Amino acid sequence: MNAKAKLGGLPSRGAEEWGYYTDARVTGFPTHELEPYRLFDAMSFGGDESHLRIMCRSENHLGNYDREIDWTGADDTTWLGMDTGEEYAALLSLATGRRIRSGGLTRTFRSDDPDPRGFPDWAWHRTRTVPTATRDRNRLLPYASDPVDLQEAVDLLALYPYLTGKRAVELVRAARQYQLGLWVAEEDPELAWLRLVSAAETMAAYSKPKKISHVERLREYHHKLYQAVEPAGEETLKAAAAAIAGHLGATHKFVRFIADRIPEPPIRRPDLHLQIEWAPEPIGELLKVVYDHRSSALHGGKPVPGPLLSQRENVETAAPPERFEASMGIGSSNWTVEQLPMTLQAFEYLVRSALHARWRELAKQ
């Protein structure tokens, strides 16, 4: 809303500045391309751990936002659960594919303050530290802390002010899930899987994939049940398909959201036997398994398969593997290779790319 107010010609009524933490080295700070937001180099020269490296200033073109409230009902359609600084940090994290979080306000500029430099405002600021792995192992998302040029994210970020209010809420909610998944991936990869699925599912809920009948959906997403019910006849099959259509509809939206937006393969890929087949339908089959694991974890308390929570050492190439080449076991548990659809690094790339594609689609609506 603030960005739209700027586009509508409303004057600035002050500004706020937030400090952003990241473990990536940042260059290419935009100047005026992203108004009413502006990003500054915080001039932090720390090591690879997270530091306050970015300052984000937002001009306030809304002033005090007042609206009529109908206390006879509830309205949380625009609720994001975060302030403007956190909102833009989530978008920046998604746009760059880097771990970036806001620590909170650092400076406030008031239109009635005679000092144009504003005043420090660190009362609620908190230092953000990227959680790291608790044991010695390869990083699951090795590229998430690579140096980043913010100019590469300008094209996406510049579209944000042109989204409708509903579409902006959709994007920010998905970006928040992506941001939090990326942030905890090395310490808590299971939560990262769940957050990344939620990021895609948030946007998938608003998208409109190609419609298929309830029976087709049952055959596509629950083939065992389809085979069990089919001998009972067409009417029984239709009734069973209709009864489970809601659950399978969510799976269908999630799978098609990503599979219909498959990007170009990563520039750096592992050896052929560690690559997933880069095409919509094969990837769609893998995504069904991912969604099943997510559902089992959320609704049954069944942990994500252990091998998906670690990155095996790849001695043959510098690029991390995209898939598992064999069945694996940990302790008294074991999983078939079909139950290990892809690595977290491959899934993050697919999710981020699909969210980027949807971001561009929203700007055209």
Side-chain angles (χ1 to χ4, degrees):
M1 294 183 66
N2 185 45
K4 283 195 168 297
K6 160 69 176 176
L7 290 176
L10 292 180
S12 173
R13 294 184 171 91
E16 295 173 309
E17 202 165 87
W18 289 270
Y20 288 177
Y21 292 81
T22 179
D23 60 346
R25 295 184 179 274
V26 185
T27 59
F29 286 83
T31 52
H32 300 286
E33 300 97 323
L34 304 176
E35 292 183 348
Y37 306 98
R38 190 167 179 189
L39 302 173
F40 299 90
D41 189 345
M43 304 301 290
S44 173
F45 300 103
D48 295 333
E49 66 274 15
S50 58
H51 285 274
L52 196 159
R53 300 179 191 267
I54 304 170
M55 305 302 296
C56 175
R57 183 182 299 167
S58 172
E59 296 289 334
N60 182 4
H61 292 269
L62 286 173
N64 294 322
Y65 177 49
D66 296 315
R67 67 179 179 90
E68 293 293 330
I69 299 178
D70 179 6
W71 292 107
T72 63
D75 181 5
D76 59 358
T77 53
T78 61
W79 174 243
L80 298 174
M82 49 185 158
D83 63 27
T84 303
E86 293 174 304
E87 173 187 330
Y88 208 69
L91 293 172
L92 187 59
S93 178
L94 173 58
T96 60
R98 300 297 186 272
R99 288 182 280 261
I100 301 172
R101 288 195 70 181
S102 171
L105 276 174
T106 58
R107 184 169 291 271
T108 301
F109 306 83
R110 292 180 179 172
S111 57
D112 58 354
D113 189 338
D115 187 350
R117 298 174 182 83
F119 61 92
D121 192 354
W122 290 72
W124 302 104
H125 191 92
R126 57 179 296 188
T127 300
R128 299 286 190 181
T129 303
V130 174
T132 56
T134 55
R135 56 187 181 278
D136 185 23
R137 65 165 186 222
N138 297 316
R139 289 183 298 164
L140 280 89
L141 299 179
Y143 306 147
S145 57
D146 280 357
V148 60
D149 184 345
L150 295 184
Q151 289 294 332
E152 298 174 1
V154 166
D155 65 326
L156 276 174
L157 294 169
L159 297 176
Y160 182 55
Y162 297 93
L163 270 56
T164 65
K166 180 179 179 181
R167 298 308 186 190
V169 169
E170 170 189 340
L171 174 62
V172 173
R173 285 175 174 170
R176 179 65 159 177
Q177 292 299 315
Y178 172 86
Q179 174 201 41
L180 295 179
L182 206 64
W183 191 263
V184 303
E186 304 303 337
E187 180 190 49
D188 193 345
E190 180 170 37
L191 183 56
W193 275 102
L194 302 183
R195 290 284 195 185
L196 291 174
V197 170
S198 293
E201 193 170 36
T202 297
M203 276 195 155
Y206 296 92
S207 63
K208 296 180 180 179
K210 180 181 177 182
K211 289 186 178 181
I212 60 176
S213 70
H214 291 167
V215 172
E216 289 177 305
R217 191 180 293 172
L218 181 63
R219 181 171 55 244
E220 177 76 10
Y221 295 102
H222 206 318
H223 195 64
K224 288 184 179 179
L225 180 59
Y226 174 86
Q227 290 180 312
V229 177
E230 186 183 24
E234 183 177 356
E235 292 304 315
T236 301
L237 183 60
K238 287 182 176 179
I244 200 173
H247 169 70
L248 298 184
T251 306
H252 176 61
K253 282 189 173 184
F254 168 78
V255 170
R256 295 322 315 170
F257 176 78
I258 299 177
D260 290 343
R261 297 170 177 83
I262 296 296
E264 291 296 317
I267 296 175
R268 296 168 60 189
R269 302 196 73 185
D271 293 331
L272 188 61
H273 67 287
L274 294 174
Q275 295 180 15
I276 59 178
E277 185 177 351
W278 210 266
E281 296 317 309
I283 286 179
E285 292 300 313
L286 300 179
L287 292 171
K288 293 177 190 177
V289 182
V290 170
Y291 199 76
D292 283 345
H293 288 324
R294 174 264 187 191
S295 297
S296 296
L298 284 185
H299 306 303
K302 186 177 180 180
V304 171
L308 300 183
L309 308 180
S310 62
Q311 183 73 284
R312 76 170 187 81
E313 184 177 0
N314 181 19
V315 297
E316 301 169 53
T317 175
E322 300 168 358
R323 62 179 293 271
F324 297 83
E325 55 184 326
S327 300
M328 297 184 70
I330 299 177
S332 60
S333 300
N334 62 281
W335 299 267
T336 66
V337 69
E338 290 78 17
Q339 292 175 298
L340 307 173
M342 64 182 76
T343 62
L344 183 61
Q345 174 265 331
F347 183 60
E348 181 276 330
Y349 177 72
L350 289 169
V351 170
R352 171 162 45 92
S353 299
L355 294 177
H356 284 187
R358 179 61 176 165
W359 192 334
R360 293 186 174 91
E361 292 168 15
L362 293 177
K364 298 177 182 178
Q365 296 179 1

